[in-house]
Amino acid sequence: MADIVAKTKRLKPTKAHCPTCDGGDRTCDIHGTVYIPWTWEDRIGNTVSGGVTHSLLQCRGCETVFYEIDSWDTEDRDMWHGPSGELCGENIHTKATYPKPESRTKPIWLSAILKQDEELHAILNEMYVAYDNQAFILTAIGLRTALDRGTAKLGIEAALTFEEKLKRLQTTGVIGETERRILEVVTNAGNAAAHQGWAPTAQQLRQLLSALEVFLQRAFVYGQNTLALKDKIPAKQRRPKVSVVATPTQVETAEGIVQPTKT
């Protein structure tokens, strides 16, 4: 066992996608690696081959230990022509790490939602898990569910339709007309996903997520925190009244002090 540990310590560090660090590859130490080649052949002689490298890595930044799988096969190659016109190619490697890195950073204010409503916080957490695993239909449904719970927390009757709930938010001054129209799109997307199996693209879903996050952030986090400052801000000071005294060339009347008309 000591010989194995000593040997793995001498492995050259590599770049890998740490599941904890935010974005991009990080320099990682390799604590162990196993390469497994494979070959497949059919009855008429067609063959496909490839290989899988299994590695146990540790990030040098946050020290997270994680597993990486690096696979390739002869059916997935990058081809190009060399300087003399010859055909060149190399195998394309597909890498994945476990635990899987989050594809979208959760908003920093998400923990503040927990203080406001545990159910809404749980819905949002599951929605982000679905998004990270590219379950875009489930994510779109989660958007609608989170919005529904948010309106209930703001005092909107549960028996109303989504359209009626958004109109009630607008008439009570919680949202404006533009935001109501934006949230209607979020609602329609969730309905289409739930009832028609509509799957938004990654870009479309990012836009829908951003729209919901803006609403929740203002309604439950920064908006509430800002309103709490109302009683702590000093009141506006009134300007003192300035008394005006008539000059010898002016006449004081019921309408005020005026300049006499020359005759």
Side-chain angles (χ1 to χ4, degrees), residues 222-233:
Y222 295 145
Q224 297 295 331
N225 294 340
T226 303
L227 289 175
L229 296 176
K230 180 180 179 180
D231 297 332
K232 299 180 181 180
I233 299 176

Side-chain angles (χ1 to χ4, degrees), residues 53-147:
T53 301
H54 304 267
S55 302
L56 184 64
L57 309 178
Q58 183 173 20
C59 177
R60 284 189 170 184
C62 66
E63 298 184 346
T64 297
V65 177
F66 59 100
Y67 164 68
E68 180 189 71
I69 181 171
D70 182 347
S71 60
W72 68 273
D73 63 70
T74 53
E75 296 299 298
D76 190 10
R77 293 176 58 83
D78 185 15
M79 308 299 297
W80 69 90
H81 290 281
S84 303
E86 70 276 16
L87 185 62
C88 305
E90 63 180 6
N91 298 318
I92 296 176
H93 286 247
T94 301
K95 295 183 179 182
T97 56
Y98 302 92
K100 185 179 179 180
E102 294 182 347
S103 57
R104 179 185 176 89
T105 303
K106 295 179 181 179
I108 59 176
W109 47 263
L110 185 60
S111 58
I113 294 290
L114 181 61
K115 300 177 182 179
Q116 299 285 339
D117 187 64
E118 293 184 2
E119 184 175 340
L120 177 58
H121 182 266
I123 293 171
L124 291 171
N125 264 328
E126 292 193 15
M127 182 189 71
Y128 284 114
V129 170
Y131 180 83
D132 290 335
N133 288 277
Q134 299 183 353
F136 292 163
I137 295 179
L138 295 179
T139 306
I141 297 173
L143 286 168
R144 184 189 65 166
T145 306
L147 179 58

